[in-house]
Amino acid sequence: MNLHRAYLSLCGFYSLLILIGIIALLAGGATLLALPQLVMGALGVVGLWGYFLKKGFMSPRMWRPFACLLGVAALAQLFLIFAASPSGVELTWLLTSAIFSLLLVVILYRYGDRDQALWASPEELEGGRVLGELLEAQHELTVEKQAEDRQATVRVQKAGNEYRASVVRQREAEVERFEERFTCPATLAFFIEKFTCISVRDFADKYTSEASPA
């Protein structure tokens, strides 16, 4: 069994746990906490499948807060095990939920990192490809642009496997300077177009024309 199949088997195992929990709930062998545990578990399994299939489900902004919530819930359940003297059925639900939540917390926190190709749109992937090719030919890319009442300058560099974008934005008399680092070029393309008036096309137009013979 290769690593990818092992990951998919893990996803299948977690999905089976949710199915068993639903059957137990319908059969009456559950506790008052069973329904919220199953809802959170099912949502966590969706993220688990997304992480290993490299697919973006829902929004990346929700997964890290959800992972933190899942971690807090797991700790609370472990506390109840030692502090509340639960019955046999309650102990089974609490232990199962707490133990299997811990791995989900780690994976879902990683899944919520926006700096991954799985969260990029086709346009952002194409923009990342363009920027990556330009940075193979140029050590540094710089574009300055003014649009209506806004002006921006973006300088992009690549160091190893990391992309760095330095931005200067100006609106009327207000000037902002900030810098961000990324490992995924598609995220770099998203960042530039989201937070400045400059597009990837502006970089392509400038550096393609400079490379063309006179």
Side-chain angles (χ1 to χ4, degrees):
M1 178 182 293
N2 60 32
L3 190 59
H4 182 65
R5 288 184 179 178
Y7 288 150
L8 295 184
S9 297
L10 178 65
C11 295
F13 173 71
Y14 269 82
S15 301
L16 181 61
L17 285 178
I18 298 300
L19 179 60
I20 292 173
I22 293 173
I23 293 173
L25 181 64
L26 295 176
T31 68
L32 294 176
L33 293 175
L35 184 57
Q37 286 173 330
L38 286 174
V39 171
M40 293 183 67
L43 185 56
V45 169
V46 170
L48 186 67
W49 279 103
Y51 180 78
F52 289 120
L53 292 177
K54 304 299 181 184
K55 300 289 185 181
F57 295 139
M58 303 183 192
S59 168
R61 289 177 293 183
M62 66 160 284
W63 289 109
R64 285 192 163 180
F66 179 73
C68 293
L69 176 63
L70 204 60
V72 171
L75 292 176
Q77 290 173 101
L78 290 174
F79 174 78
L80 288 175
I81 290 172
F82 294 103
S85 300
S87 66
V89 173
E90 292 171 336
L91 180 62
T92 300
W93 277 87
L94 290 171
L95 269 178
T96 302
S97 178
I99 292 172
F100 288 104
S101 291
L102 297 179
L103 178 60
L104 283 179
V105 169
V106 176
I107 292 175
L108 295 181
Y109 193 83
R110 293 178 179 176
Y111 185 52
D113 182 6
R114 178 63 175 82
D115 190 17
Q116 301 179 80
L118 63 89
W119 294 113
S121 67
E123 293 78 14
E124 292 162 3
L125 290 171
E126 175 62 19
R129 183 191 66 79
V130 170
L131 290 173
E133 291 179 353
L134 292 174
L135 284 168
E136 290 296 327
Q138 302 277 345
H139 174 68
E140 181 179 292
L141 308 174
T142 303
V143 169
E144 183 175 352
K145 183 178 180 180
Q146 184 165 354
E148 299 178 353
D149 62 337
R150 297 182 299 165
Q151 182 176 346
T153 301
V154 177
R155 187 174 73 253
V156 179
Q157 297 174 305
K158 183 179 180 182
N161 294 323
E162 187 177 70
Y163 298 88
R164 183 173 64 193
S166 301
V167 177
V168 179
R169 294 191 307 190
Q170 182 173 352
R171 184 187 291 269
E172 297 177 349
E174 183 179 354
V175 178
E176 295 178 277
R177 300 174 186 270
F178 52 94
E179 182 177 289
E180 292 290 344
R181 298 171 185 267
F182 309 98
T183 57
C184 177
T187 314
L188 172 65
F190 163 80
F191 170 79
I192 291 171
E193 300 201 352
K194 175 73 173 179
F195 295 101
T196 74
C197 58
I198 296 173
S199 68
V200 174
R201 175 53 54 191
D202 294 322
F203 282 91
D205 289 346
K206 176 180 178 179
Y207 288 95
T208 300
S209 62
E210 287 182 359
S212 299

